[in-house]
Amino acid sequence: MSAVLTVNSYFNDQVKSIALDNKEGTSTVGVMAIGEYEFGTSQREYMTVVSGALTVKLPASDTWDTFLKGDMFIVEANQSFNVKVEETTAYLCRYE
């Protein structure tokens, strides 16, 4: 199996990721610059903070929760969620 890497850029290059497909499925590894973002999902996403912190407002939530290095949160398919980034942060996203 050959690994094909795809580079993605969002929000005027403030969020960048590298996507890969392998025997474990589809994942992206990326970095978010300081800012506020709204993302939409098409599949269930398992987001893990690799370095830094993400403050997230999950769908159907009225509160913002901060996720630190090693923390994970899940967003179901076909949902939108908001993210505040106060320091440049790296993340891993696994899709199902």
Side-chain angles (χ1 to χ4, degrees):
M1 172 188 302
S2 68
V4 176
L5 302 179
T6 303
V7 177
N8 301 299
S9 180
Y10 308 96
F11 304 104
N12 295 316
D13 292 336
Q14 297 302 294
V15 178
K16 293 203 175 207
S17 68
I18 300 173
L20 66 103
D21 290 304
N22 63 19
K23 64 183 178 182
E24 295 177 12
T26 302
S27 299
T28 58
V29 178
V31 175
M32 295 185 199
I34 295 168
E36 295 188 21
Y37 310 101
E38 181 176 1
F39 294 95
T41 64
S42 59
Q43 298 175 272
R44 177 184 288 162
E45 297 185 6
Y46 296 81
M47 293 279 295
T48 303
V49 177
V50 175
S51 178
L54 298 175
T55 301
V56 180
K57 186 174 182 221
L58 293 168
S61 177
D62 293 326
T63 61
W64 291 85
D65 297 303
T66 299
F67 296 87
L68 304 174
K69 179 181 177 181
D71 291 343
M72 182 191 72
F73 60 92
I74 300 170
V75 183
E76 295 298 330
N78 304 310
Q79 301 289 315
S80 293
F81 64 103
N82 297 88
V83 178
K84 293 180 185 177
V85 183
E86 295 183 5
E87 64 177 311
T88 303
T89 297
Y91 66 91
L92 166 67
C93 183
R94 187 173 58 82
Y95 302 91
E96 280 189 356

